[in-house]
Amino acid sequence: MRPHQWARARCALLIFALLMWTTVQTSVHAAARSRIAVVDLEAQGEKAKSEELGKVAAQWLTTAFVNQGRFDVIERQALQKVIEEQQLGVAGVIDVDTAAQLGRVLGATYMVTGAVTSHRQGLDLNVKIIETESAAIKVADRLEARSIGAMSKKIRPFVAQLVSKFPLRGFIIHQKGNIFILDVGKSAGAKVGMQFEAYREGEIFKHPVSGEILGIEKIRTGKLQVTEVQEKLAFTRVVEQKPDETVSVGQNVVSIGAVTSRTNRPIIGVPSAGGTSSALRFAQVWGLVGTGTGDFQKPFGIAADGAGNVYVADTYNSRIQVFDTSGTFMKSWGQKGAGSGSMTLPYDVAVDGEGTVYVADTYNHRVQKFDANGVFLGQWGQKGKGSGDFYFLSGIAVGPDGAVYTVDAKMNRVQVFDNQGRFLRSWGSKGKGSGNFVEPMGLTVDESGNVYVADSEMRRVQKFDSQGRFLAAFTDRLHYPADVAFDQFTGNLLVLDAATALIWEMGPTGQSLRSYAGPGRSSGRFVKPYGLTIDGAGNVFVADTGNSRIQKFSR
């Protein structure tokens, strides 16, 4: 072999060794950022094919994922070279197993594939994100637009929503007293109140024949909750420590709770800086009057968890029923009574980021706490007028810090508890002035901890900070606001008016943007609706109380 050939060979071997070392290190030490690759999407329809929109959309998506900064994005040139070497055929026409195989060759944790379809009304972009290790679809979603230009403008918020479905991963990089600092901050999606699970790596599992590293034992050490965020740092405190384990610097962390979810929600609008958005449209309805599984007797309260499951306070059946996002019955618990786990006319329900369920057990004058399967965990409250007592518990919500907020329609006040039921603070009394209420029915808490109360008889919604300081009152066109929900995707507030059977969408300053529905018994209309919630994908669910059913709306 000639000298220059030896030099090339040595160089190639060195590069190969470096790549292998990097692969092993990535396997042994979890990286803060996963690798992701976007293949050319399949083009369907005449316009999509002639203008090669599958490739165009893949380029848009790649750029948007890079801008998000949550993943290490594999360059498209390197990706295309591997596709050619693996002889995978036409770009875009890749099934789940093939995408997973390609991802493993590339060292990618996730592969993005899908299709662009052109039709008379415009374009549809269907995206699937596949986890290469399990060959499972982790996220599937769809974006609609009337033109190529309109779709290009929607890609960035679309990808931001896709990315929000994935847990944040990082490391504990420093300890200062009882504060642990993580290397994930605001730019990565960390927020105050978010919880992380800390773990250390244990035994490395290798194949006994090939020696291939198959996995690494993950030993959980505890849970951390974010108390402060900076651009690239999160400051946390330990909220749970496992027996015989210690949370310490150098351990891995992964976010838990509502960060991850899966949805097939079509996104057809993008909010502007002014807080506007595309209109809601009726999606589906489920439920009949009755006592059987999936039936309802005047449901008043409704909530959704991070996975899109819908929890209904089936009030006059004195139970909680749970459905998936499409209305398929999953489970139920509760019966009429005063014992633990039984209920008497529960008016509302709330779910925290870990799937813990809190029930406003109205006629038993208490809050009951359950796990996601309906196993009773605890309760607090009694009939009375003192701190921690209830007289008519009409609404319940959970804040970003895990605190439980309640509103009492007879005591005309908001009370706040920690998740163990310990009383923290309260505000409000009967009155027409700012900060007082007359028969308030519902409330919600936004991601910043601001509290919105449906001050029903006063025909207004009042906004407070988390400590109960009055911030604003929204009164435009409201007759009897029964419930409220904050839309994190648009920054708008949705208000359910039981008197007019309308959903009002209001901007950040309380201006009415548009209304939906109206009185009636057909799909998309209500009779005295009392419950409203928005899931992690932006779908809106209404407890259509007078019609004893649930209705779903999407954008």
Side-chain angles (χ1 to χ4, degrees):
M1 184 176 290
R2 295 177 181 178
H4 70 277
Q5 292 176 319
W6 272 111
R8 289 178 181 175
R10 284 196 299 270
C11 183
L13 286 169
L14 178 59
I15 292 172
F16 176 75
L18 286 170
L19 287 171
M20 290 300 294
W21 182 86
T22 301
T23 300
V24 171
Q25 292 301 309
T26 301
S27 299
V28 175
H29 301 287
R33 299 200 303 183
S34 301
R35 302 185 80 197
I36 195 168
V38 184
V39 301
D40 288 347
L41 277 62
E42 183 178 3
Q44 300 174 344
E46 184 178 343
K47 183 180 182 65
K49 291 179 179 178
S50 64
E51 299 192 23
E52 296 186 314
L53 295 185
K55 292 183 178 180
V56 172
Q59 292 171 345
W60 288 340
L61 290 167
T62 300
T63 301
F65 275 110
V66 170
N67 291 335
Q68 281 295 309
R70 283 280 303 277
F71 298 96
D72 288 328
V73 183
I74 296 173
E75 292 185 0
R76 289 181 53 74
Q77 289 181 343
L79 172 63
Q80 193 60 39
K81 184 176 181 181
V82 173
I83 290 175
E84 292 171 358
E85 290 174 350
Q86 296 292 313
Q87 298 180 343
L88 292 176
V90 181
V93 190
I94 297 180
D95 59 24
V96 171
D97 291 334
T98 304
Q101 177 189 348
L102 173 60
R104 288 191 285 268
V105 172
L106 290 163
T109 310
Y110 302 104
M111 295 295 296
V112 182
T113 184
V116 181
T117 304
S118 58
H119 47 76
R120 289 183 179 180
Q121 288 73 36
L123 302 168
D124 291 342
L125 172 63
N126 288 279
V127 171
K128 293 180 290 187
I129 301 181
I130 299 161
E131 184 181 58
T132 58
E133 181 180 356
S134 62
I137 299 174
K138 300 299 291 183
V139 175
D141 214 331
R142 188 176 80 223
L143 173 65
E144 298 176 359
R146 293 185 178 181
S147 66
I148 297 174
M151 180 166 283
S152 69
K153 294 178 181 178
K154 297 179 180 182
I155 287 292
R156 188 164 183 170
F158 177 68
V159 169
Q161 183 171 314
L162 293 176
V163 168
S164 71
K165 313 292 190 339
F166 292 87
L168 304 183
R169 298 181 183 275
F171 296 99
I172 302 173
I173 61 171
H174 187 71
Q175 181 181 359
K176 192 171 184 178
N178 62 351
I179 298 297
F180 293 84
I181 302 174
L182 313 184
D183 63 347
V184 289
K186 189 182 299 183
S187 61
K191 298 175 182 177
V192 173
M194 182 179 287
Q195 290 193 344
F196 286 81
E197 185 172 66
Y199 65 92
R200 62 181 178 86
E201 294 174 346
E203 185 179 355
I204 299 173
F205 300 107
K206 296 182 179 180
H207 193 283
V209 177
S210 67
E212 177 187 0
I213 296 176
L214 302 177
I216 305 168
E217 182 183 17
K218 293 182 178 179
I219 302 171
R220 294 170 175 82
T221 59
K223 289 181 182 178
L224 302 164
Q225 186 166 37
V226 178
T227 58
E228 178 187 346
V229 290
Q230 295 181 4
E231 192 65 22
K232 294 185 178 180
L233 297 174
F235 297 79
T236 67
R237 60 181 177 84
V238 176
V239 293
E240 178 184 325
Q241 189 157 287
K242 299 295 183 182
D244 302 322
E245 292 291 341
T246 302
V247 176
S248 61
V249 173
Q251 291 180 356
N252 301 274
V253 294
V254 58
S255 62
I256 56 179
V259 177
T260 57
S261 63
R262 178 177 173 181
T263 174
N264 294 313
R265 182 176 72 89
I267 300 176
I268 61 173
V270 179
S272 70
T276 60
S277 66
S278 61
L280 290 170
R281 62 170 184 260
F282 170 78
Q284 66 183 107
V285 60
W286 72 84
L288 297 170
V289 179
T291 59
T293 297
D295 296 337
F296 302 107
Q297 290 275 12
K298 295 184 179 179
F300 272 76
I302 191 166
D305 65 16
N309 299 317
V310 180
Y311 296 72
V312 181
D314 188 6
T315 306
Y316 280 74
N317 280 324
S318 294
R319 64 184 177 185
I320 302 299
Q321 295 199 75
V322 188
F323 305 83
D324 68 14
T325 189
S326 299
T328 301
F329 175 81
M330 298 176 66
K331 52 183 170 279
S332 68
W333 67 84
Q335 59 185 355
K336 189 172 184 179
S340 297
S342 296
M343 310 167 194
T344 303
L345 300 182
Y347 263 56
D348 205 4
V349 60
V351 188
D352 70 13
E354 295 186 344
T356 305
V357 183
Y358 300 88
V359 177
D361 188 5
T362 307
Y363 278 73
N364 283 323
H365 314 287
R366 65 187 179 185
V367 173
Q368 291 201 68
K369 179 179 177 181
F370 302 86
D371 70 11
N373 294 312
V375 176
F376 175 79
L377 299 177
Q379 65 183 47
W380 67 85
Q382 61 184 356
K383 187 175 182 178
K385 300 179 180 180
S387 296
D389 296 339
F390 303 106
Y391 212 87
F392 194 97
L393 178 54
S394 52
I396 192 166
V398 181
D401 59 352
V404 180
Y405 292 74
T406 65
V407 65
D408 193 309
K410 296 299 182 185
M411 291 305 300
N412 298 291
R413 67 182 177 184
V414 172
Q415 294 192 88
V416 189
F417 305 84
D418 69 13
N419 60 11
Q420 299 302 311
R422 290 183 284 264
F423 174 81
L424 299 176
R425 57 190 173 275
S426 68
W427 67 85
S429 59
K430 187 172 184 178
K432 299 179 180 181
S434 298
N436 293 323
F437 311 106
V438 180
E439 295 188 14
M441 289 300 297
L443 80 168
T444 193
V445 186
D446 69 18
E447 290 183 317
S448 300
N450 297 313
V451 184
Y452 302 81
V453 180
D455 190 6
S456 305
E457 285 290 344
M458 291 304 301
R459 300 186 176 190
R460 65 186 177 186
V461 171
Q462 294 196 67
K463 179 180 179 180
F464 304 86
D465 68 13
S466 61
Q467 300 302 307
R469 289 182 284 263
F470 174 81
L471 298 176
F474 306 154
T475 59
D476 191 15
R477 308 185 190 186
L478 299 177
H479 289 264
Y480 190 90
D483 206 1
V484 285
F486 184 81
D487 189 341
Q488 60 180 336
F489 297 107
T490 65
N492 294 334
L493 186 71
L494 297 186
V495 182
L496 183 64
D497 195 314
T500 60
L502 292 172
I503 302 173
W504 281 102
E505 185 169 8
M506 294 183 166
T509 59
Q511 74 276 23
S512 295
L513 301 176
R514 56 177 73 89
S515 63
Y516 310 97
R521 300 192 179 277
S522 59
S523 296
R525 292 186 172 273
F526 313 127
V527 174
K528 294 182 179 178
Y530 274 85
L532 176 72
T533 192
I534 304 174
D535 70 9
N539 297 305
V540 176
F541 299 88
V542 176
D544 186 5
T545 311
N547 285 320
S548 290
R549 63 187 182 184
I550 304 301
Q551 297 203 57
K552 176 182 177 181
F553 297 79
S554 299
R555 294 196 186 277

